[in-house]
Amino acid sequence: MTAKLIKGTEIREKILNEVEEEVKKIKEEHGVVPGLVTILVGENPASISYVTLKIKTADRLGFNEVQDNQPEDISEEELLALIDKYNKDDAIHGILVQLPLPKHIDEKKILNAIDPDKDVDGFHPVNVGRLMIGGSEVRFPPCTPAGIQEMIVRSGVETEGAEVVVVGRSNIVGKPIANMMIQKGPGANSTVTVVHTRTKDLAGHCKRADILVVAAGVPGLVKPEWIKPGACVIDVGVNRVGEKISEKTGKKVAILKGDVDFDAAKEIAGSITPVPGGVGPMTITMLMKNTLKSLKFRLGIA
Ligand code: GUN
């Protein structure tokens, strides 16, 4: 059996088209567009490429996009003052501080300074709490888990009563996706197990999963014999395992490998996300959706 491929690149296009349509409609009816600021501190190459892609996506959707680049040596006080400025700016509905931040800056302090109603990353403790409560309390689900849930739902995988096993307990993926899948409602209502580095029988738990979400950051961790035949496998891992020359551009590019042994797993799973082109493209997509949602809350139409 060869699994159905769950392509993030295709789902991204559908969602972005939906967002674009809604932005046009809101602009016509209310005369405003979503405003998003991205604060980038320093020149981390991975951060620059993430932010560049975000700007391109926001521009395509007709957002008011503000790119605020700051030097590596900006002080914590200066960065807090910048966040305060955007918290008070009515044209800005989403504030994203690109992580990681330089070591002299307390990341927690910075994230906690963002107005929770503009925290489109969903990292502020208020939004973590809102997510935990669930239902209408939820404002901004964090982007990667929100993307995972969209992929599961849009590929027609049944979540109701499903055994979901999440490998990894990070604040950005493992904990929030587990929390989202246990909630009442469509695309959830699952029975969730979270496994991690101290779990005794990793393979045994994975074998029970109807939906296996792997966010461990260990290339090829999940072996094909850990996968239940027909299961939906979501591979969040993006591990750089080497470099190659791109056939398209002739430039050096990273060789990326997921946390799942894809070639063998696709013969057992019912559906599976590839790496790259699976979960990756969904994160920025959901950031756009959250920014639109923020504007809708402001207008009282969410
Ligand atoms: N750095 C890597 N991924 C992310 C993300 O989703 N949000 C922010 N703010 N920084 C990141």
Side-chain angles (χ1 to χ4, degrees), residues 128-181:
V128 176
R130 286 169 167 168
L131 190 77
M132 184 86 171
I133 295 167
S136 61
E137 283 292 319
V138 179
R139 182 71 59 105
F140 304 119
C143 301
T144 302
I148 293 170
Q149 194 176 33
E150 286 275 357
M151 294 180 101
I152 294 170
V153 170
R154 288 180 188 243
S155 52
V157 173
E158 180 61 80
T159 61
E160 181 99 18
E163 292 283 344
V164 173
V165 176
V166 178
V167 184
R169 53 177 161 178
S170 70
N171 288 331
I172 292 180
V173 184
K175 284 186 209 166
I177 189 65
N179 188 19
M180 289 160 78
M181 299 308 289

Side-chain angles (χ1 to χ4, degrees), residues 32-276:
V32 280
V33 296
L36 174 65
V37 59
T38 303
I39 302 172
L40 173 64
V41 179
E43 290 173 7
N44 177 319
S47 294
I48 291 172
S49 71
Y50 178 86
V51 162
T52 306
L53 196 55
K54 181 202 59 63
I55 295 168
K56 257 171 71 177
T57 312
D59 280 349
R60 162 189 161 178
L61 299 176
F63 283 19
N64 165 29
E65 214 289 321
V66 179
Q67 179 50 50
D68 195 330
N69 290 353
Q70 294 294 329
E72 180 86 18
D73 62 357
I74 186 174
S75 71
E76 198 173 270
E77 290 70 34
E78 286 169 320
L79 192 52
L80 286 169
L82 197 64
I83 290 169
D84 188 50
K85 181 183 98 169
Y86 290 118
N87 279 344
K88 290 176 178 152
D89 185 341
D90 282 343
I92 294 296
H93 310 99
I95 301 172
L96 180 136
V97 179
Q98 186 63 29
L99 303 177
L101 288 170
K103 288 208 166 50
H104 67 278
I105 295 175
D106 181 348
E107 213 160 84
K108 234 190 243 172
K109 207 166 165 184
I110 298 300
L111 294 180
N112 291 1
I114 297 172
D115 178 349
D117 291 346
K118 294 189 178 188
D119 167 42
V120 285
D121 253 332
F123 293 164
H124 192 288
V126 166
N127 285 317
V128 176
R130 286 169 167 168
L131 190 77
M132 184 86 171
I133 295 167
S136 61
E137 283 292 319
V138 179
R139 182 71 59 105
F140 304 119
C143 301
T144 302
I148 293 170
Q149 194 176 33
E150 286 275 357
M151 294 180 101
I152 294 170
V153 170
R154 288 180 188 243
S155 52
V157 173
E158 180 61 80
T159 61
E160 181 99 18
E163 292 283 344
V164 173
V165 176
V166 178
V167 184
R169 53 177 161 178
S170 70
N171 288 331
I172 292 180
V173 184
K175 284 186 209 166
I177 189 65
N179 188 19
M180 289 160 78
M181 299 308 289
I182 58 165
Q183 300 292 345
K184 281 187 183 168
N189 278 332
S190 306
T191 303
V192 179
T193 306
V194 180
V195 299
H196 46 78
T197 44
R198 301 296 170 93
T199 296
K200 283 184 186 145
D201 182 13
L202 209 51
H205 286 290
C206 290
K207 279 179 194 170
R208 287 189 295 102
D210 301 312
I211 299 171
L212 183 61
V213 179
V214 193
V218 180
L221 171 75
V222 172
K223 308 290 176 254
E225 59 274 20
W226 297 12
I227 295 168
K228 181 173 168 180
C232 168
V233 178
I234 307 286
D235 188 351
V236 192
V238 185
N239 306 290
R240 287 165 187 255
V241 294
E243 284 182 334
K244 63 177 181 185
I245 303 295
S246 160
E247 281 175 23
K248 258 197 210 160
T249 62
K251 286 184 186 163
K252 244 191 216 172
V253 289
I255 300 172
L256 300 177
K257 198 166 180 247
D259 289 351
V260 177
D261 177 353
F262 178 82
D263 288 334
K266 77 178 193 316
E267 301 305 321
I268 298 162
S271 54
I272 188 166
T273 59
V275 177

